Amino acid sequence: MRPPNEPALDLSPSPGDEVKTTTCYMCACRCGIKVWLADGGDRGKVIRYIQGNPAHPVNQGVLCAKGASGIMQHYAPARLEKPLLRVGERGKGEFREIEWEEALQLATSWLAPIRERNPDELAFFTGRDQSQALTGWWAQQFGTINYAAHGGFCSVNMAAGGLYTFGGSFWEFGEPDWDHTQYLMLWGVAEDHDSNPIKLGLGKLKARGAKVVAVNPVRSGYGAIADEWIGIRPGTDGLFAFALIHELLRMDRIDLDYLVRYANAHWLVVRNPGGADDGLFARDAEGNVLCWAVAPPPAEAGEGAQARADAIDIAPAVVGEYTLADGRRATPVFQLIAERYLDPQYAPDAVSEHCGIPADTIRRIARELAQAAFDSNLKLPIAWTDAWGREHKEMVGRPVSMHAMRGISAHSNGFHTCRALHLLQLLLGAIDAPGSFRYQPPYPKPIPLPNRPGKARKPDGTLDAGPLGYVHGPEDLLVDGNGQPRRIDHAFSWAYPLSAHGMMHTVIRNAHAGDPYPIDTLLMFMANMSWNSAMNTGQTMQWLTDKDESGDYRIPHIIYSDAFASEMVAYADLVLPDTTYLERFDAISLLDRPISDADGAADAIRHPVFDPATQAGSDGRQRDVRGFQSVLLDLGARLGLPGMVHADGSPLYRDYADYIVRHERAPGVGLLAGWRGEDGTQHGKGAPNPDQLQRYIENNGFWREEIPEHARYFKMANRGYLEWAQKLGFVGSTAPIVLQLYSEPLQKFRLAAQGHGEHQPPPEHRERVATYFDPLPIWYEPFESAQAGASHQYDSTQPHPLPSPPLEGEGGNASRGGQGNNPFPLHAVTQRPMFMYHSWGSQNAWLRQITARNYLYLHPDTGAKHGIVDEDWISVTSHHGSITVQAKFAGNVQPDTVWTWNAIGKRRGAWRLAKNAPEGGKGFLMNHLISDITPRGDYANADPVTGQAAWFDLRVRIGKVAVDAAGQARPQFAPLGFAEADEAPLRYGAALRARAYKR
C-alpha cells in the first residue's frame, strides 16, 4: 500500500496530445520522425516534441540535434509569409507583398513567350530539394535543356565515378556491411550526410572491435572516434589509393577469381596505337566482347583461342598479349592494370611525401586490408544461384568496407580519385560481398545507365528525354555543329562531358555573359546562389545585379522559391514562398534519391502535420504559402504543358499530392512503389491507387520490401536479386552487370580527341580530353595547386598520371606545411558540421546555440610558423581574393591545411537575424576566396570529366593583421532590407509547461 503522503507520479508521461509520423527534412538523411502535438491555446495545435521513429528503417529511432530542432525550423522568424514582388533594385531586399494569383499570372507571362519561341531561354536550377523526379520531368515537358539539380557542386564525381565503374556509388546508392565488416575506411567523410545510419553502423563496429580508419585532413566527428586517423593532404587521396593498389599487386594479395567472375579483368583490349580501335574492347562479328581462353580445350603453354568473355567454364587469360583471329593484337584488362600500378612511381616511398603519409603507414594499411579481406574466412551459409545458373552453397565474404564523400569528390581530380577507390575495392573483391560495400536498391544499374540526356524537342515541344542523364560516347554530347556547348552551364560539352548532374555553379556567370546565348528567365528553388552555394560569391552578386547598356538587367527575370528569407531571396524579381517541411506532401522516391538499405527497398512520404493557413508568421499574421512542387504543377497547367493538362486545357493534377498518386513515369511505375494497384495490393509496379497516401500514413510514412535472403549479396550477378529487381521495375533484364575496371566510354572520348570518329572535339579541347579521359584511373595535381603555385609537385616521368604543369615561374618543393617559394602554401577546406546542414539551420535558435560564428582553424605549429597567436585576427589570401577572419588553434588538422565550418557566416539582414547576430559580424565564408574559374581562366574551377565544382582545391596564405577595433570578419556587405528578428531570445515551450501545470 502506498504511504498516504506520497504523490501519484506518472512515470511515462505522454510527450503530447497527438502524434503524427512523417519524414525529417533537416538534412538529406530523411529519417523517420514522430511529431508530438499539444494544445497551444489560441494558436491551436503546436509542436510539443519531435523524436525519432523507432519503426523507420533509416534511423530506427535515432535522431540528431538537427532533427530534434525541426521545431525551431518550423517556427523560425525567417519564414516567408506571402509572395513578394521586387520594388527596389535587385539585391536590396525591397519587396511588396502580392497575392498568389498575381504572382502566378506574372510568372506565366514571363514563361509562356519563352516556351513559344525557345524553351532553352529558361534556366531551371534547383538546390537541395528532394523532388528531382518532378522538377526534371517538368523541365522536360517545358522543353528546356537548361535544367540541373545541386549534384554538380556536391557529389557528381562520386556518383559518376561509381556508376561508370560498378553501377552504384557511395552515399545514397550503397552502404558498408555494418554487420560483418572488420575493417572500414572512411575517405573524406564529414558528418552532414547520412549521419544517423552511419552513427548506428559505427556503433556496431565499435562494439564488435572492427577497425575504423579515417582518411581526412581534418579529424572531427566520425574521425574523432576512428581507431586511426590518416591526416592526408587534400587532393592526394587518389595517389594514396594507388600506393595501396601497388602494394596489393606487389604482394599478390588480390581476388582474381572475383575479378574474372564479376568484372572485366579478362576482357581483351585492342592494342593498335594510332588506330581508330585502339583501346576498345575486342568483339566478335555479333558484338560480343572477347577474352583469351587457355582452357578448355586443353592447351599447352602459350596456346589457346579467343572466346566470348561471358562464357562460363573456361579459364580466361588475365595477363599477356594475344593475336586475334583477324590479326589484331589485344591484351586483357588486368595486364594493363598491372603494367600501370606496379610502376615504381606509385610505390609508397614515391608518394609518401606528397600525400603527407609515412611510407611505412601505407605499407601497413595495405597489409591490414589484405588480412581483413582474405584471412578472415568470412562465409555466410546461404545458398544462392548466380546469373549464369551456377549454384553456390555459401557466400564468401571480404569484410573490408569503404565509404567516401565530398572530401574526395570536390576536387578537380575527384572523378578519377573515386574510380581509384573503386579499383581498390574491386581488387579486394569487396563490392557486394559479405562484409564489404553493399548496393542499396534500386542499384546496381547497367553500366553506363541507359538514360542519355535529352537533345531534341518533339513536335509538342517536350524534350525527347530528361535533361540530365549518362553519356555513352561523344555522340551523346549537347553541342552544336561546331562543337560548342548548347547548355547555359556548358554541361555535356567537350569541356565537361560526363556532367550527369549538370553544373549549377556555372549558370550565373554564363547567363550574365550570354555564353553560349542570353537567357530570359532564371528559375531557382532552394539554391542560395548569392551566398554559400556560390564560388566567387562577391562577383556572383554583381552578375545578378549587372545591367546592360540599355539599363536592363543582363539576366532579365529571376524567379526564386524558398521557405526562408535567405540571401538569394534578395536577388529575385518574384519570390514564391514555400512551406516548411511539416506543411506539405513530399515523395522520397526510388525514382529520385532512394532511402533503401542493403537488405530492402524503401521509399517514404512527408505529409502535412499542419495546414500552412493555420500557422501564423513571426509577426502573428496568417501566412499565405504554398509548396513549390504544387506551384510548379500549377504553372505547368497555366502554360498548357503536355502531361499537365487535360485535352480541354484544365489542370490534370490538383496539386503535388495528386501528382504523387496518379502520375506514371511508365505504365505501372509511379513516384511511390508501395500499395499500388487499384486495391493497393501490388508493390513496385501497378496501377495508381487513390488511397496510396493514406496507406503510407497508416504505415508510419514509409514502405519497405525485404530482399529475399538468398538475393542480398552479389546483386550484380545474383539471379535471385536480378529477378526480384526486375519484378519491382529496378532493372530491365536479368542479365548480369559486369563491373568495369577499364571504362570503354572514356576511351571513346580519348579516341575522338586523337582524331577518330564522326564526333570530335574542337582544337582547344583536344589535349584536355585526351589527357583526362583515361579508361583506367589516373592521378594529377588539382588545377589550383598546379596553376597557382603548388608545393610538393609530384615528380613523374611516366605518361601516367598526366599532371597539369604549374604556371610559368611557379611551383616549388616546400617542406610539409612550409612556405617555400610557393605563394599559397596552405590548403583550405570547409567542413560541414554535424549540427547544421548547408544554410538550413541559419535561423534555428537551438542549433545557433551550438555555433553562431566560425573561426579559421589551424594547427598550433602552423600558427607559430606564421607568428600567429590563438584567436588573432588574420588575413587569408588566395589567388582570387582575401578575407579577414579570427583564427583558432586546433590540433585536429594536418599542419599544411586550414579549415572552417561552412555556411555559418551570414550576410547582415538575411534570415531575419538580429542586427548584431554573430553570424553576420564574426562569421565568414571561405567562398569569397574560391574562384569559379581556374587560375588560368580557361575553364570552370571543376573536374574536367564531370564538371563538379572543385571547392576543396583552394590554396591560401595567411598573415597576421592589425587588431580590428570592430572585431568583424571581412568582407562585409550592405545589410539586406528584410525585417530583423526581435533582439529578445527565442524561447519555446514555456507556455506549454504553464498550460500543463494549470491542468
Side-chain angles (χ1 to χ4, degrees), residues 403-524:
H403 183 69
M405 201 53 216
R406 190 179 297 107
I408 61 156
S409 182
H411 290 283
S412 53
N413 60 13
F415 172 81
H416 278 289
T417 293
C418 293
R419 290 256 298 145
L421 296 188
H422 299 323
L423 175 58
L424 175 59
Q425 292 172 285
L426 287 166
L427 290 177
L428 292 167
I431 294 288
D432 218 49
S436 71
F437 172 92
R438 301 181 67 192
Y439 295 107
Q440 296 173 336
Y443 297 89
K445 295 285 190 178
I447 308 171
L449 273 73
N451 54 306
R452 296 167 165 87
K455 298 177 67 174
R457 278 186 280 272
K458 301 177 183 178
D460 64 358
T462 62
L463 281 180
D464 57 357
L468 300 178
Y470 296 87
V471 167
H472 291 211
E475 67 278 5
D476 294 330
L477 294 181
L478 270 71
V479 292
D480 63 20
N482 297 316
Q484 299 305 310
R486 285 183 52 202
R487 285 178 51 113
I488 192 68
D489 59 355
H490 295 191
F492 304 115
S493 70
W494 286 105
Y496 323 97
L498 304 189
S499 42
H501 292 172
M503 298 176 62
M504 193 167 185
H505 46 292
T506 66
V507 65
I508 293 176
R509 170 188 279 273
N510 293 346
H512 169 265
D515 178 14
Y517 43 75
I519 65 167
D520 180 277
T521 297
L522 177 61
L523 172 60
M524 305 195 90

Side-chain angles (χ1 to χ4, degrees), residues 187-218:
W187 298 75
V189 178
E191 294 81 44
D192 60 324
H193 284 75
D194 207 23
S195 58
N196 288 330
I198 288 180
K199 283 182 278 188
L200 285 165
L202 288 174
K204 290 182 178 181
L205 267 58
K206 299 295 284 187
R208 203 171 63 246
K211 182 169 184 177
V212 179
V213 178
V215 182
N216 201 316
V218 178

Side-chain angles (χ1 to χ4, degrees), residues 600-639:
D603 60 16
I605 66 166
R606 293 186 188 92
H607 65 99
V609 175
F610 299 104
D611 178 348
T614 67
Q615 301 298 291
S618 57
D619 58 1
R621 292 186 304 152
Q622 180 178 343
R623 290 162 59 242
D624 187 11
V625 300
R626 299 182 185 179
F628 176 69
Q629 296 91 338
S630 292
V631 171
L632 201 60
L633 290 166
D634 189 339
L635 282 173
R638 290 168 184 258
L639 294 165

